[in-house]
């Protein structure tokens, strides 16, 4: 029998569609029954609380917020404080856990390879670069290019947010706590300092990307400075290790459709009342998505075409697996292995350029996040009726850029960095309110642009170094 082979990209798309359906139709519902009552007793929820709950027995709620609202009404505030989380947990149906483990496994596998991949890829990239001059030139060029595209993205956001003014009259709602908000703020100043690790092995275990990159560049550079025997040996060693990492990557990539199915089904099922939210926050979401689309479909392709002299749409096709993975995982770090794979194999960028620019890009170059940071800050300012002078807008642009550089390539990292921008602009953190509710959805779009921008950088820089590419 002939084996039917569906291209990976189509497999992923089918998985995405199925995941959305699964997430929508099998999203958790909440119903208190005799069975849940006895479970609650086992969890030491006191009798008075359970008695109060009797009035909503056997009523089915379709969303978590609706269920919690009713709990709030039924219980005393003390009972609510103490037990609501447990009640929600015990009461919800768990169809999602049947499939979410697929996503968890896939994410674990992707995360597993990030650190060894960055380490071997940068060391091998730098050792293959040859002289120190080469490295300095390429490093400067890459950083200048990354800053430039991020600033373009921010200006695009600024344009749309000033044009449409989504924040005027917006109802921001109340905030819930965002984990890590205040820490992000404090640690931001020391980010630069911490690029130099005190203990490199601690950086490896905690996944502190900037210091791993710093050390890898240093190590790679000094490999080229030692005598021939160790130099050849170490160069071979890191080149081979990198090859092995890429083989592992290709193995993991085969499971992308399954992983994406699990991840996206879970994300969708966790969205409470997405239609209602979209109608309240529609304009704001539109501004973010329009800005991202403009940057990804107009600005970056123009740069690839005119600066890089390459075909942007052929390159986009070459990158499609990485782009849908970025969209589904919301993590440029987790997508890095696919990004390197696609840029090398499909677009034809050399190992020397891709090994250096892409890991760096996944950590510091986040055009989508930069645009998002700016739009959120301006949206909140508009909602509070704060007049934004040109001076303040310039501060917003600069902090949005810094926040995007500081944000880690993991889901919702951009949300935490918003506190940096808001504080710099003197806006209250409470303003985050509703923005929180749709962050995870917008994260999918901005991460796609983050990865797309990194890959365009690899193409443009490779071309500027005289490479002949496939796109
Ligand atoms: N999730 C984004 C990324 O990994 C960062 C962000 O939250 O903006 O690229």
């Amino acid at each position: 029998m002939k084996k039917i082979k569906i291209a990976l990209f189509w497999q992923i798309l089918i998985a995405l569609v199925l995941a959305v359906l699964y997430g929508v139709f099998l999203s958790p519902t909440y119903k208190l029954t005799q069975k849940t009552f006895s479970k609650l007793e086992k969890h030491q929820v006191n009798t008075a609380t359970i008695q109060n709950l009797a009035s909503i027995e056997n009523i089915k709620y379709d969303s978590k917020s609706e269920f919690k609202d009713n709990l709030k009404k039924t219980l005393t505030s003390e009972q609510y404080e103490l037990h609501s989380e447990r009640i929600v947990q015990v009461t919800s149906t768990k169809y999602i856990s049947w499939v979410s483990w697929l996503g968890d496994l896939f994410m674990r596998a992707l995360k597993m390879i990030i650190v060894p991949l960055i380490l071997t890829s940068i060391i091998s990239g730098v050792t293959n670069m040859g002289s120190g001059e080469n490295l300095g030139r390429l490093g400067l060029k890459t950083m200048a290019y990354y800053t430039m595209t991020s600033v373009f993205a921010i200006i695009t956001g600024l344009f749309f947010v000033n044009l449409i003014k989504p924040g005027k009259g917006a109802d921001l709602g109340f905030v819930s706590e965002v984990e890590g908000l205040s820490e992000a703020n404090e640690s931001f100043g020391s980010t630069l300092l911490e690029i130099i690790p005190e203990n490199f092995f601690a950086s490896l275990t905690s996944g502190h990307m900037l210091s791993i990159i710093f050390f890898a560049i240093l190590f790679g550079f000094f490999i080229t400075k030692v005598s021939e025997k160790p130099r050849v040996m170490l160069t071979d060693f890191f080149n081979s290790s990198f090859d092995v990492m890429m083989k592992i990557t290709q193995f993991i990539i085969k499971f992308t459709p399954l992983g994406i199915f699990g991840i996206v089904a879970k994300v969708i099922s966790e969205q409470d009342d997405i239609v209602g939210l979209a109608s309240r926050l529609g304009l704001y979401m539109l501004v973010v998505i329009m800005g991202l689309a403009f940057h990804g479909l107009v600005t970056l392709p123009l740069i690839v075409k005119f600066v890089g002299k390459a075909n942007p749409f052929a390159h986009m096709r070459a990158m499609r697996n990485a782009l849908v993975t970025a969209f589904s995982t919301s993590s440029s770090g987790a997508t890095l292995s696919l990004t390197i794979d696609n840029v090398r194999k499909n677009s034809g960028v050399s190992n020397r350029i891709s090994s250096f620019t892409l890991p760096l890009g996944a950590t510091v170059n986040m055009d989508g996040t930069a645009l998002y940071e700016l739009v959120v800050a301006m949206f909140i300012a508009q909602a509070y009726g704060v007049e934004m002078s040109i001076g303040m807008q310039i501060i917003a642009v600069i902090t949005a850029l810094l926040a995007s550089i500081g944000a880690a390539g993991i889901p919702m990292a951009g949300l935490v960095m918003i506190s940096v921008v808001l504080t710099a602009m003197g806006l209250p953190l409470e303003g985050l309110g509703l923005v929180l509710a749709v962050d995870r959805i917008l994260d999918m779009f901005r991460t796609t642009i983050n990865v797309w921008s990194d890959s365009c950088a690899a193409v443009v820089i490779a071309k500027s170094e005289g490479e002949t590419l496939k796109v």
Side-chain angles (χ1 to χ4, degrees):
M1 208 176 82
K2 203 170 155 252
K3 238 174 127 186
I4 306 174
K5 216 171 170 255
I6 309 175
L8 184 66
F9 176 70
W10 292 109
Q11 291 180 28
I12 298 177
L13 276 196
I14 295 169
L16 260 178
V17 174
L18 292 179
V20 171
L21 292 177
Y22 193 103
V24 169
F25 291 110
L26 294 177
S27 66
T29 54
Y30 304 84
K31 189 167 149 190
L32 285 157
T33 57
Q34 279 309 320
K35 212 167 125 200
T36 39
F37 284 144
S38 43
K39 270 199 207 157
L40 287 175
E41 264 166 35
K42 261 190 232 137
H43 280 112
Q44 273 140 23
V45 172
N46 61 18
T47 330
T49 311
I50 295 182
Q51 271 166 1
N52 279 351
L53 288 174
S55 66
I56 53 172
E57 187 180 341
N58 284 331
I59 305 178
K60 187 172 146 210
Y61 297 98
D62 287 327
S63 82
K64 192 173 179 179
S65 54
E66 196 192 348
F67 182 57
K68 277 185 137 179
D69 283 347
N70 277 289
L71 282 184
K72 217 179 248 164
K73 281 186 215 142
T74 333
L75 300 176
T76 65
S77 53
E78 193 189 344
Q79 290 170 343
Y80 182 83
E81 279 286 307
L82 272 176
H83 300 301
S84 65
E85 283 309 317
R86 173 71 8 105
I87 298 172
V88 169
Q89 202 197 357
V90 167
T91 315
S92 69
T93 50
K94 307 237 169 39
Y95 306 116
I96 279 307
S97 57
W98 297 348
V99 296
S100 60
W101 62 273
L102 285 170
D104 294 341
L105 273 188
F106 182 63
M107 276 309 259
R108 291 183 75 93
L110 286 180
K111 286 186 189 153
M112 170 184 85
I113 54 180
I114 297 179
V115 169
L117 187 70
I118 290 199
L119 193 68
T120 54
S121 137
I122 293 200
I123 294 180
S124 96
V126 170
T127 46
N128 294 337
M129 220 168 275
S131 72
E133 265 164 53
N134 243 339
L135 173 66
R137 191 174 44 83
L138 199 66
L140 275 183
K141 197 184 334 186
T142 309
M143 283 314 291
Y145 177 90
Y146 282 157
T147 313
M148 184 189 75
T149 56
S150 298
V151 170
F152 282 161
I154 295 175
I155 291 173
T156 308
L158 196 60
F159 171 76
F160 281 112
V161 83
N162 276 323
L163 183 77
I164 300 180
K165 299 212 170 27
K168 263 200 162 160
D171 163 18
L172 287 178
F174 292 107
V175 243
S176 32
E177 286 284 308
V178 184
E179 250 175 74
L181 262 189
S182 45
E183 288 121 71
N185 215 358
E186 277 164 29
S187 64
F188 190 70
S190 49
T191 302
L192 277 182
L193 215 70
E194 283 170 8
I195 291 179
I196 298 184
E198 274 182 348
N199 176 348
F200 175 61
F201 293 95
S203 309
L204 283 182
T205 47
S206 63
H208 193 286
M209 293 310 161
L210 285 177
S211 26
I212 298 177
I213 292 178
F214 173 80
F215 186 85
I217 293 178
L218 207 65
F219 196 81
F221 176 73
F222 283 103
I223 286 180
T224 65
K225 299 285 171 217
V226 292
S227 61
E228 188 178 336
K229 197 171 162 223
R231 186 179 70 236
V232 173
M233 192 201 102
L234 285 172
T235 308
D236 282 350
F237 174 78
F238 282 103
N239 281 342
S240 327
S241 306
F242 178 57
D243 284 346
V244 175
M245 287 315 301
M246 288 312 292
K247 281 270 184 265
I248 300 181
T249 298
Q250 279 152 17
F251 175 68
I252 296 175
I253 289 176
K254 294 208 179 88
F255 299 94
T256 317
L258 288 176
I260 282 181
F261 176 72
I263 296 170
V264 176
K266 185 162 176 222
V267 171
I268 297 283
S269 79
E270 278 171 354
Q271 299 301 318
D272 259 2
D273 183 25
I274 205 163
V275 182
L277 273 177
S279 67
R280 266 198 289 175
L281 283 173
L283 263 190
Y284 157 73
M285 292 174 79
L286 191 77
V287 169
V288 175
I289 294 176
M290 251 169 36
L292 292 174
F294 186 89
H295 187 69
L297 296 174
V298 180
T299 314
L300 291 175
L302 284 177
I303 296 177
V304 171
K305 175 130 193 72
F306 292 106
V307 185
K309 307 263 183 310
N311 179 344
F313 296 103
H315 174 53
M316 196 180 279
R317 209 168 318 122
M319 292 304 301
R320 57 193 189 167
N321 287 339
L323 295 179
V324 276
T325 305
F327 183 79
S328 316
T329 58
S330 293
S331 167
S332 0
T335 313
L336 178 64
S337 43
L338 272 101
T339 317
I340 298 182
D341 177 79
N342 287 182
V343 165
R344 286 209 309 177
K345 275 220 300 248
N346 305 344
S347 298
V349 175
S350 70
N351 190 6
R352 168 177 164 256
I353 301 288
S354 57
S355 294
F356 178 72
T357 57
L358 293 172
L360 194 65
T363 315
V364 302
N365 181 44
M366 298 198 181
D367 293 7
T369 303
L371 184 149
Y372 176 75
E373 300 290 319
L374 181 105
V375 172
V376 174
M378 293 293 291
F379 172 70
I380 290 173
Q382 290 170 354
Y384 276 99
V386 179
E387 258 322 306
M388 293 285 289
S389 62
I390 296 291
M392 262 177 95
Q393 299 206 16
I394 293 177
I395 296 187
V397 170
I398 296 172
T399 43
L401 177 68
L402 292 178
S404 75
I405 295 175
I410 54 172
M412 297 176 85
L415 180 66
V416 177
M417 294 313 278
I418 286 174
S419 69
V420 178
V421 184
L422 292 183
T423 317
M425 290 168 63
L427 292 168
L429 291 185
E430 284 69 36
L432 277 175
L434 276 182
V435 170
L436 281 179
V438 288
D439 178 79
R440 186 63 178 79
I441 296 287
L442 293 175
D443 199 1
M444 303 171 96
F445 292 92
R446 62 179 191 258
T447 308
T448 312
I449 298 300
N450 291 346
V451 169
W452 171 231
S453 165
D454 295 342
S455 78
C456 291
V459 164
V460 172
I461 290 168
K463 277 287 191 146
S464 76
E465 295 283 301
E467 291 187 6
T468 324
L469 307 184
K470 293 184 190 164
V471 292

